[in-house]
Each structure stands twice: as C-alpha cells, then as structure tokens.
Amino acid sequence: MTLQQIPLFPLSVPLYPGVTLPLRIFEQRYIHLVSESMKTNSGFGIVLIRSGGEVGRASVWPLGVYVDIVDWGQGEGGLLNVEVKGRRRFRIVHTRRAEDDLLLGEVEWIPDEDEKPIPADCDGLLSVLEELKERAQTLSLKFEPVESADSLSWQLAQLLPLEDKVRTDLLAVEDPLMRLATIAENLDRWTRE
C-alpha cells in the first residue's frame, strides 16, 4: 500500500467526483493552500467535518475527494473565490497538523471505477435528480452530463439530504451499481427525513 500526503480542507458540505463546488477562502492557511496548489498545479483533499466547524480545528470523516482548482478570482474584502472539481476518492490513514494548523492527511487512493451504463430501471432516479437540480440552483454547484451509472450516483449523493455517515458510506462504495441500488432502496426514507 503506497501512501501519499496531501493537504486537507474540511467542509460541512460533502463533495463527490465529477461535481464542481465554489469555495470562499478567507483563512490564511487555506489562502496559502490554494496559492501553493495553483503554483504547483496540484490539488488537495476535501473532507467532510465530523465534529467542529469550518473555522478553527475540526475532526473529519476518514474518506474524501481529491480536487483540482478549475477557476478562481479575488472577492471583496480579501476573500478568494475558487471553484474546485472532485476527481479521485481517498481513504485517510493518518492525519497531522502543519505549523500553520493546516490538516495534512496520509491517504491511500480508492481505485477508479470502470464506467458502467445507467441501468434501464433507473428512470425514476434520473427524474429525481432533475428535480433536485432544479431546487439546488442556488447552491452554485456545477455538474457534468449524466452519462454513466457513476455520474448518476455521485450527483444524487451530492444533492439528497443525507446523514453524514450515509454520505461517507456512499463514498466508500466502489461499484456504482451498488451505490445506485443503495440510493434507490433508501430514497423514500431519505426524502421524508
């Protein structure tokens, strides 16, 4: 098992592969992180906060998504606005704090999935996704076209009102058809909560 150290950016919002998320950066450690990422043309990990907040220290769930910066701009009052796109999933083996309090993770990469077609019985899930996207326009998320079971499952996971443990569990599922089956089985319960 080969481990790699990457900087981690804890958020109270999850991110999945193929989804683009806007971030407003104001803490010095994250401004430095974004600056270094752009200089070295590298990314960083987005991880879901388990306890604590986005400002200060937080503990995180053990799975995340490596992102690339796809756009950036200077905001008002020194804010840095960036858009990041989810690329690869990882599992955190160990974390430590840098001198500036930035969270660093030793991670192992979760293998990329083979692309699978959307099953014929997923028309209902496609309809749910379209309805969720209409409601979520104010979130400023950007999505790729839904052309595979993989992209359908990630976009549903991004938009459904799920508990954090469920969000993390879905991130760990390595087969998109199993992920879609889990979403379909629990959809009624999740949409009522």
Side-chain angles (χ1 to χ4, degrees):
M1 171 175 64
T2 303
L3 300 181
Q4 183 176 350
Q5 181 174 282
I6 62 170
L8 300 175
F9 192 108
L11 281 178
S12 57
V13 176
L15 183 65
Y16 294 96
V19 179
T20 301
L21 175 73
L23 299 175
R24 295 176 57 190
I25 313 289
F26 56 89
E27 282 190 75
Q28 196 58 45
R29 60 185 164 169
Y30 297 125
I31 290 173
H32 179 72
L33 166 64
V34 168
S35 173
E36 284 300 309
S37 291
M38 291 191 316
K39 280 183 200 170
T40 60
N41 199 25
S42 62
F44 53 90
I46 298 283
V47 287
L48 189 59
I49 293 173
R50 192 174 201 153
S51 65
E54 290 182 357
V55 177
R57 286 189 171 211
S59 69
V60 297
W61 290 89
L63 291 146
V65 173
Y66 189 78
V67 299
D68 292 326
I69 297 170
V70 294
D71 197 11
W72 68 279
Q74 194 66 45
E76 294 179 18
L79 286 177
L80 184 60
N81 296 319
V82 297
E83 284 188 356
V84 296
K85 184 172 185 175
R87 300 289 183 195
R88 298 176 68 188
R89 298 172 297 149
F90 59 83
R91 185 172 286 107
I92 299 171
V93 176
H94 176 73
T95 61
R96 69 177 185 83
R97 296 269 173 193
E99 284 182 28
D100 64 357
D101 217 25
L102 182 70
L103 190 60
L104 302 171
E106 293 284 334
V107 304
E108 62 179 345
W109 301 105
I110 296 173
D112 290 334
E113 303 164 345
D114 292 331
E115 203 165 280
K116 295 182 180 174
I118 298 171
D121 62 351
C122 284
D123 287 349
L125 290 177
L126 283 164
S127 298
V128 167
L129 180 60
E130 289 311 310
E131 185 178 324
L132 288 168
K133 282 182 177 179
E134 285 178 25
R135 292 183 192 173
Q137 288 178 355
T138 57
L139 298 177
S140 301
L141 296 167
K142 293 181 183 172
F143 298 95
E144 297 174 340
V146 178
E147 297 173 343
S148 66
D150 197 42
S151 59
L152 175 60
S153 68
W154 291 135
Q155 290 181 32
L156 284 165
Q158 184 74 51
L159 292 171
L160 284 167
L162 310 175
E163 295 173 7
D164 288 349
K165 179 170 182 351
V166 174
R167 290 184 182 286
T168 304
D169 289 348
L170 285 173
L171 196 56
V173 175
E174 294 188 27
D175 180 344
L177 298 180
M178 286 179 60
R179 217 171 18 252
L180 282 174
T182 301
I183 290 170
E185 287 168 13
N186 293 282
L187 188 59
D188 288 341
R189 181 176 57 85
W190 288 339
T191 53
R192 283 195 310 270
E193 291 176 355

